[in-house]
Amino acid sequence: MSDPLLSLQRKIGYTFSDAGLLTLALTHRSFSGRNNERLEFLGDAILNFVAGEALFHHFPQAKEGQLSRLRSRLVKGETLAVLARGFGLGEYLRLGSGELKSGGFRRDSILADTTEAIIGGIYLDAGMEVARERVLAWLEQHFSELTLVDTNKDPKTRLQEFLQSRGGDLPQYEVIDIQGEPHCRSFAVECQVSLLNEKTHGQGASRRIAEQVAASKALIALGIESKNQHD
């Protein structure tokens, strides 16, 4: 196996017994007729099951609708793309010339699909227990940030709707700092709200998470929500 794939395996925390499965998981349909779409289908099913099972046990009081919304947030393409960028997955993709020229290695959908394909590959290579362990390890930080308080609407949406109801300007978000290695980035974001004298700040493993934290603090500063709701 080539050194680049050895490096990728260190990043994802799993070494394949069958190197061909990883190569296949990284192969986009634009590159070859033998591509990662079937592995992606399998990985998507595994991801949804593992996430659903974990949420079922972690939130014993949650209703079916709440669990469904939490799972959707946990396994959505944006979350998977954040994971993929953490692994530096874009540089390992096997893409056709057209996708390469159009920047396919940066596209969220391709990164997310490849992440699912890798999950499918791990399952075929080592079985369900290993696949479950890897998925839960990858999603650990995202999982820990889920609460039942905001399963209907996220803080950014609630803040925007409140400001619109008051005729205020939309909140402005700005990334002010990015720290850490590519696989463990930390984003710092400022949120400026016309009804507040001071900006609020948020930090997280992705820009979106940091913005949500800053929006939550703005809601608290506006007196719309209490700090206890977010504890």
Side-chain angles (χ1 to χ4, degrees), residues 92-121:
Y92 303 98
L93 296 177
R94 303 173 79 204
L95 301 172
S97 58
E99 284 292 352
L100 279 173
K101 291 177 182 177
S102 65
F105 57 92
R106 292 190 298 265
R107 192 167 300 130
D108 277 10
S109 59
I110 291 178
L111 291 171
D113 290 347
T114 303
T115 302
E116 290 179 336
I118 290 175
I119 293 170

Side-chain angles (χ1 to χ4, degrees), residues 135-205:
V135 168
L136 293 177
W138 296 350
L139 291 175
E140 181 178 7
Q141 181 169 353
H142 297 278
F143 194 95
S144 67
E145 291 163 348
L146 294 176
T147 69
L148 291 177
V149 173
D150 58 351
T151 53
N152 291 313
K153 294 179 181 178
D154 60 48
K156 286 183 64 177
T157 301
R158 296 201 301 274
L159 177 60
Q160 178 175 315
E161 290 182 351
F162 171 77
L163 294 173
Q164 288 175 328
S165 71
R166 296 297 179 90
D169 296 330
L170 293 179
Q172 300 296 316
Y173 300 93
E174 181 182 358
V175 176
I176 57 174
D177 190 31
I178 302 176
Q179 296 184 356
E181 299 298 321
H183 64 282
C184 57
R185 287 275 172 86
S186 175
F187 292 77
V189 166
E190 281 185 343
C191 173
Q192 182 171 2
V193 176
S194 58
L195 300 181
L196 292 174
N197 294 327
E198 297 184 358
K199 299 176 181 178
T200 57
H201 297 79
Q203 191 162 338

Side-chain angles (χ1 to χ4, degrees), residues 4-226:
L5 293 190
L6 289 174
S7 174
L8 174 58
Q9 288 175 107
R10 285 193 293 270
K11 292 176 182 177
I12 67 175
Y14 178 75
T15 300
F16 279 81
S17 297
D18 181 355
L21 283 171
L22 178 56
T23 300
L24 183 60
L26 297 168
T27 304
H28 188 256
R29 64 177 179 270
S30 63
F31 185 88
S32 171
R34 187 170 184 271
N35 55 60
N36 64 7
E37 289 185 328
R38 283 171 55 82
L39 284 179
E40 174 201 334
F41 168 80
L42 184 59
D44 175 69
I46 294 165
L47 175 64
N48 275 276
F49 171 74
V50 170
E53 180 187 48
L55 289 167
F56 178 86
H57 292 297
H58 191 75
F59 295 101
Q61 304 304 319
K63 297 180 180 179
E64 183 273 339
Q66 291 175 306
L67 291 172
S68 294
R69 286 188 289 271
L70 285 171
R71 183 177 60 183
S72 294
R73 290 168 51 197
L74 194 60
V75 304
K76 66 182 179 180
E78 184 178 341
T79 301
L80 297 180
V82 169
L83 290 176
R85 291 192 175 91
F87 301 143
L89 202 56
E91 63 185 275
Y92 303 98
L93 296 177
R94 303 173 79 204
L95 301 172
S97 58
E99 284 292 352
L100 279 173
K101 291 177 182 177
S102 65
F105 57 92
R106 292 190 298 265
R107 192 167 300 130
D108 277 10
S109 59
I110 291 178
L111 291 171
D113 290 347
T114 303
T115 302
E116 290 179 336
I118 290 175
I119 293 170
I122 292 174
Y123 168 77
L124 292 179
D125 197 57
M128 189 63 189
E129 288 308 311
V130 175
R132 177 189 282 111
E133 184 276 329
R134 280 295 83 204
V135 168
L136 293 177
W138 296 350
L139 291 175
E140 181 178 7
Q141 181 169 353
H142 297 278
F143 194 95
S144 67
E145 291 163 348
L146 294 176
T147 69
L148 291 177
V149 173
D150 58 351
T151 53
N152 291 313
K153 294 179 181 178
D154 60 48
K156 286 183 64 177
T157 301
R158 296 201 301 274
L159 177 60
Q160 178 175 315
E161 290 182 351
F162 171 77
L163 294 173
Q164 288 175 328
S165 71
R166 296 297 179 90
D169 296 330
L170 293 179
Q172 300 296 316
Y173 300 93
E174 181 182 358
V175 176
I176 57 174
D177 190 31
I178 302 176
Q179 296 184 356
E181 299 298 321
H183 64 282
C184 57
R185 287 275 172 86
S186 175
F187 292 77
V189 166
E190 281 185 343
C191 173
Q192 182 171 2
V193 176
S194 58
L195 300 181
L196 292 174
N197 294 327
E198 297 184 358
K199 299 176 181 178
T200 57
H201 297 79
Q203 191 162 338
S206 69
R207 176 174 181 166
R208 177 185 173 278
I209 292 172
E211 288 177 348
Q212 298 287 13
V213 173
S216 291
K217 291 181 178 179
L219 287 165
I220 294 169
L222 288 165
I224 307 306
E225 296 180 4
S226 68

